[in-house]
Amino acid sequence: MKTILVYFSDIHLTGDKPENEGAVIKAFCEDVKQQLFSMQYNDAYVLIGGDLVQAADKQESYQAFYNKILSKLITYGIQPEKIICVPGNHDCQRQWVIDNRENYAPVVNQKFTEDRFNNMINGQQGTVFLEKFGNYKNFVEQYLPNSCKNLIGFPIEINEEWSIYCLNSALTSFAGHDWKEYQQLKDDERRLNVDTRNLNDWVQKNSKKKILMMHHPLSFLSEWADDELTKLLRIEFDLLLTGHAHRQNILCNQVKGESYVWCQSPQLYTDKADKLGYCIIELEDDHVNRIIYREWFASRNCFKKGLDFTDGEDGIVEIINDKKKRKTLFC
């Protein structure tokens, strides 16, 4: 069975600038349509890695996201329940952080341990981390039935072979707010915490091939979260999808008994002059078969083969599969 995952991240949609943002988004939708109609597959999902909009305070930006992107994907035959997303730091409402900073800043400034954070996020105090996602939450509840299950994290069964866990890595983000009382919180790097309790519970009950999707790379997580996820990924997961870094990279590393490929996804949109792109991940039965990169060419106002994202001339990364070895793919 062949399943394709159309994966993109960091859209930063505003709904403005038709000569810039609009041109890229229109070309993206047309390219996805062409790829879907030209490929052979049994099933298709759309995975969105966060930062759907530029400013989460503007609910109308989420409506524009539906009108300009999601509604078109649905007309191409993608069912709404097969469009899955996670929030990023741009999906945090900065105005909520500003209005509540006197109480919120001391909470996220704590040096959490794994046990302490899991207790807090899964307890009555956990709402302090979730309220800043109000507009994002309204959006997914209205349009994406499988993405509104739990803002902390949630699993989805893709098919008999594969399942995915969607993890919110922006729970302790300060949404880029620069406050002189807590200036260290403006930069999220090494300050982000995730719920590992429910993730581990799901892993221990799940015997399928596993995908983990979250917005931030591991390097943005707190030390304990980075360590725990790294250990879990090496043992339990086959595919990791991240965004945020606004650059694509592939790093191959092999140690005895393990094989890793680390792919960092490019942004879909920041400016039409930037290096923009997305990818299509092909799952063949119980393994990742290949990654097809598509790249924005400003000179033609269209997406073409992702030549700058791969070493080959076709924009495709072939994954060498050996079923006797575990393969972990970081995207």
Side-chain angles (χ1 to χ4, degrees):
M1 181 175 182
K2 183 180 293 185
T3 301
I4 61 171
L5 312 174
V6 179
Y7 177 61
F8 58 99
S9 183
D10 297 85
I11 305 91
H12 310 110
L13 196 79
T14 65
D16 300 326
K17 300 181 181 179
E19 77 284 5
N20 194 317
E21 174 187 281
V24 174
I25 297 304
K26 179 177 182 292
F28 163 70
C29 292
E30 290 174 351
D31 194 69
V32 170
K33 179 181 180 179
Q34 182 180 0
Q35 298 306 308
L36 288 173
F37 290 171
S38 64
M39 295 180 66
Q40 293 185 344
Y41 53 89
N42 302 103
D43 203 0
Y45 280 76
V46 169
L47 305 181
I48 309 171
D51 281 2
L52 280 67
V53 299
Q54 177 66 17
D57 291 307
K58 299 179 179 180
Q59 183 71 60
E60 60 269 25
S61 293
Y62 285 105
Q63 186 61 49
F65 191 94
Y66 176 81
N67 294 340
K68 294 178 179 294
I69 299 177
L70 292 192
S71 64
K72 290 181 172 58
L73 295 176
I74 292 170
T75 64
Y76 303 158
I78 303 293
Q79 300 171 22
E81 59 268 25
K82 293 184 178 180
I83 303 175
I84 305 168
C85 66
V86 293
N89 48 292
H90 277 266
D91 297 303
C92 302
Q93 291 169 232
R94 184 177 294 180
Q95 191 58 52
W96 183 94
V97 173
I98 294 171
D99 294 342
N100 295 274
R101 64 188 185 183
E102 297 286 350
N103 295 321
Y104 181 64
V107 173
V108 296
N109 193 49
Q110 298 178 72
K111 188 173 180 60
F112 287 103
T113 62
E114 181 179 27
D115 190 59
R116 186 179 181 186
F117 183 74
N118 282 332
N119 286 340
M120 191 169 185
I121 192 63
N122 290 290
Q124 292 182 348
Q125 293 178 298
T127 55
V128 71
F129 302 110
L130 304 179
E131 290 177 351
K132 61 183 177 290
F133 298 103
N135 285 339
Y136 171 86
K137 181 174 182 287
N138 291 338
F139 167 73
V140 294
E141 285 180 343
Q142 183 175 1
Y143 293 117
L144 301 177
N146 271 340
S147 293
C148 62
K149 295 184 176 182
N150 192 329
L151 276 175
I152 301 171
F154 60 91
I156 297 290
E157 302 302 311
I158 293 179
N159 54 37
E160 294 182 357
E161 295 281 355
W162 289 88
S163 56
I164 183 171
Y165 198 93
C166 302
L167 192 62
N168 188 343
S169 61
L171 292 169
T172 51
S173 173
F174 210 56
H177 175 43
D178 189 3
W179 185 27
K180 63 180 181 179
E181 299 295 328
Y182 284 88
Q183 288 188 337
Q184 68 274 21
L185 295 180
K186 182 178 184 293
D187 186 358
D188 286 334
E189 191 165 4
R190 281 303 181 191
R191 305 196 63 88
L192 301 177
N193 301 273
V194 295
D195 171 34
T196 57
R197 181 167 297 165
N198 290 300
L199 176 61
N200 272 278
D201 182 63
W202 175 76
V203 163
Q204 292 163 20
K205 297 175 180 177
N206 192 305
S207 60
K208 294 182 179 181
K209 294 289 183 177
K210 301 175 185 65
I211 302 169
L212 179 63
M213 179 169 67
M214 60 183 186
H215 178 65
H216 294 89
L218 295 173
S219 60
F220 277 78
L221 302 185
S222 62
E223 184 176 354
W224 76 261
D226 183 358
D227 289 345
E228 293 304 319
L229 279 192
T230 298
K231 288 186 288 187
L232 200 59
L233 286 162
R234 287 176 174 172
I235 299 171
E236 300 290 350
F237 282 87
D238 303 273
L239 178 61
L240 171 66
L241 304 175
T242 67
H244 185 71
H246 293 191
R247 62 182 181 272
Q248 182 272 349
N249 191 24
I250 298 177
L251 174 65
C252 299
N253 183 33
Q254 289 186 329
V255 297
K256 186 176 181 180
E258 298 178 342
S259 178
Y260 304 91
V261 179
W262 192 324
C263 287
Q264 199 158 253
S265 180
Q267 74 269 34
L268 182 63
Y269 176 76
T270 43
D271 185 272
K272 67 179 181 181
D274 295 338
K275 190 180 294 297
L276 311 172
Y278 75 100
C279 67
I280 300 174
I281 302 164
E282 193 176 90
L283 306 178
E284 186 81 48
D285 296 327
D286 64 350
H287 61 272
V288 180
N289 189 39
R290 59 180 184 164
I291 307 172
I292 303 166
Y293 281 100
R294 304 293 294 173
E295 178 183 348
W296 164 254
F297 282 79
S299 61
R300 300 292 184 88
N301 267 21
C302 67
F303 283 79
K304 293 188 174 186
K305 297 176 181 178
L307 303 181
D308 281 351
F309 297 148
T310 63
D311 293 331
E313 297 182 355
D314 55 4
I316 298 175
V317 177
E318 300 283 350
I319 307 300
I320 300 174
N321 294 289
D322 181 356
K323 293 185 178 181
K324 295 182 180 179
K325 294 181 180 180
R326 171 167 295 276
K327 289 164 287 298
T328 303
L329 177 65
F330 295 83
C331 287

